[in-house]
Amino acid sequence: MKGKRVAVVGLGASGLAAAKLCRSRGATVTGVDQKPVAFAEGDFVLQKDARFEGFDLVVVSPGVPTFAALEAAKCPIWGEIELAFQCRMHVSPVVAVGGTNGKSTVTSLVAALLEAAGKKVFAGGNLGEPWAAHADEEFDVVVLEVSSFQMERVSAFRPNVAVLLNVTDDHLDRYASFDDYARAKGNAFVNQTPDDLAVVPAGDAICLREAKRGRARVATFDESLDYELRLRGAHNRANASAALAAIEPFGVPRDVIARVLATFEGLPHRMAHVAEIGGVHYYDDSKGTNVGASVTALLGLAEARAVLIAGGRDKHGSYAPLADAMKKKGRAAVVIGEAAAHIEDALGPIVPVVRAASMDEAVKKSAELAKPGDAVLLSPACSSFDMFRDYKHRGDEFVRAVRALGGRS
């Protein structure tokens, strides 16, 4: 990096971490963003328009889709994960966890299992802090949640363990086809060798196809589990099984595994039980930002019927799988946000559907529609950016509205 000219495109958390890492290695950094940004320790060159002549490297943040000037660049183009991999000060085993759904839970569980076994672990990537912000630190294991966006721009990245939990329709507003999306996910496998491990679901032809783009030993997982599990839902049995497959090379003792699985509570906004009010259980699955996640959440409920709160920014996928799940589990649906009409079209022939203009109204209407013994499930099947800052803000508003409802009961 010393003496090189580097452009960093997109100056969110990962972009800033990438820029700081490049500067620490002696590079001259130009940031490309639409708004002014400064490092805490000093300013750097900033340009609004993307011009890449004369650069030795371009680093692209995951939230930035490709564009003509980027494709015309005459130098390597990396993502932040690739940058951190190539610039890390200490070489540690890397576990990369990908998939449309469940990757945050599995990443956190893998990290918890390894930490309980006494290892110093960095857990981050798409979940938590960027790896580039910790590239100078020494760890026993690096555990990364990797998104399709992050895997678009990798060249040398080689995880010792790569996990692909599933691939279902998502981000079709960014990818030309489902296969393009799956291929981005599968890029994590490409550089693996026979010394490495690829973990995929049993019987999943798409995930297996992607795993075989590399040369790693393949291990499979399913919903069978010989341990007590605190997490709710059949899908979490599969997540736990995937985590156990991923830690196999690290020799975690059986008693440690049992203790962690019996106590691991999962993540906020991922199938979190909020309250029971009037015999109805309320669940926050705001992190269910695509149809596949919402289907999994619905079918994993212990309750026989559910009122679903769904909607947000549409990702241009089909809601037919959600309609099929509602045939099995649906009592009614409350729809919100920009995608409300599309979801109503899909679910209307199956269950009663009503619209709400706010989260407070959605919770109130759900309470009216639900019967004792039912669940009310916030699992939007969409991104949050039409009404909320992010999925956390959306989930927090749901929790607040549910607690307010309970206070009036």
Side-chain angles (χ1 to χ4, degrees), residues 54-132:
F55 285 99
D56 300 294
L57 174 68
V58 177
V59 180
V60 184
S61 295
V64 179
T66 193
F67 51 94
L70 187 62
E71 294 301 323
K74 304 297 185 184
C75 62
I77 303 172
W78 293 352
E80 177 260 329
I81 293 286
E82 180 70 19
L83 176 73
F85 180 80
Q86 296 218 27
C87 291
R88 57 185 171 161
M89 193 70 74
H90 306 278
V91 176
S92 312
V94 175
V95 179
V97 181
T100 306
N101 301 306
K103 55 186 179 292
S104 295
T105 296
V106 173
T107 300
S108 300
L109 181 53
V110 167
L113 287 160
L114 294 172
E115 286 172 345
K119 299 189 182 299
K120 183 181 179 183
V121 178
F122 170 72
N126 193 57
L127 169 72
E129 296 185 11
W131 188 16

Side-chain angles (χ1 to χ4, degrees), residues 2-281:
K2 189 172 179 61
K4 302 294 186 182
R5 290 193 64 205
V6 179
V8 177
V9 185
L11 297 174
S14 66
L16 287 175
K20 291 179 182 180
L21 177 57
C22 291
R23 285 183 64 195
S24 75
R25 299 294 192 266
T28 298
V29 177
T30 297
V32 180
D33 207 305
Q34 296 298 306
K35 58 185 183 298
V37 182
F39 292 130
E41 65 269 27
D43 295 333
F44 69 114
V45 178
L46 179 74
Q47 63 184 46
K48 288 188 176 183
D49 300 323
R51 299 184 302 274
F52 300 116
E53 297 85 357
F55 285 99
D56 300 294
L57 174 68
V58 177
V59 180
V60 184
S61 295
V64 179
T66 193
F67 51 94
L70 187 62
E71 294 301 323
K74 304 297 185 184
C75 62
I77 303 172
W78 293 352
E80 177 260 329
I81 293 286
E82 180 70 19
L83 176 73
F85 180 80
Q86 296 218 27
C87 291
R88 57 185 171 161
M89 193 70 74
H90 306 278
V91 176
S92 312
V94 175
V95 179
V97 181
T100 306
N101 301 306
K103 55 186 179 292
S104 295
T105 296
V106 173
T107 300
S108 300
L109 181 53
V110 167
L113 287 160
L114 294 172
E115 286 172 345
K119 299 189 182 299
K120 183 181 179 183
V121 178
F122 170 72
N126 193 57
L127 169 72
E129 296 185 11
W131 188 16
H134 298 269
D136 290 340
E137 299 175 43
E138 187 171 6
F139 300 97
D140 296 320
V141 188
V142 171
V143 184
L144 302 172
E145 176 185 319
V146 294
S147 69
S148 61
F149 296 173
Q150 289 172 313
M151 291 295 97
E152 288 172 2
R153 301 287 184 178
V154 291
S155 55
F157 178 60
R158 174 196 159 194
N160 302 80
V161 179
V163 182
L164 186 55
L165 298 168
N166 45 64
V167 185
T168 60
D169 280 1
D170 198 11
H171 299 302
L172 297 183
D173 50 347
R174 174 146 165 168
Y175 294 100
S177 68
F178 174 82
D179 280 344
D180 286 348
Y181 170 58
R183 190 166 183 81
K185 291 280 190 191
N187 285 342
F189 296 112
V190 170
N191 294 320
Q192 287 193 295
T193 74
D195 294 330
D196 302 321
L197 178 65
V199 178
V200 296
D204 190 315
I206 294 170
C207 291
L208 181 60
R209 178 193 71 195
E210 295 303 321
K212 287 188 173 180
R213 291 169 60 197
R215 296 183 294 132
R217 174 172 63 91
V218 176
T220 62
F221 66 90
D222 54 28
E223 293 179 4
S224 61
L225 195 67
D226 296 330
Y227 296 89
E228 178 188 349
L229 184 65
R230 183 177 180 86
L231 293 175
R232 297 170 180 249
H235 62 292
N236 277 321
R237 300 187 69 79
N239 287 337
S241 295
L244 296 189
I247 64 169
E248 181 267 330
F250 302 100
V252 178
R254 188 174 177 86
D255 63 320
V256 172
I257 293 172
R259 184 172 72 250
V260 172
L261 293 185
T263 57
F264 184 77
E265 294 185 343
L267 302 172
H269 312 300
R270 174 57 87 189
M271 285 303 293
H273 185 262
V274 177
E276 180 186 354
I277 302 170
V280 176
H281 291 267

Side-chain angles (χ1 to χ4, degrees), residues 30 43 197 239 277 296 322 331 347 350 361:
T30 297
D43 295 333
L197 178 65
N239 287 337
I277 302 170
T296 299
L322 189 60
R331 172 77 65 193
L347 304 187
I350 297 161
E361 186 182 2

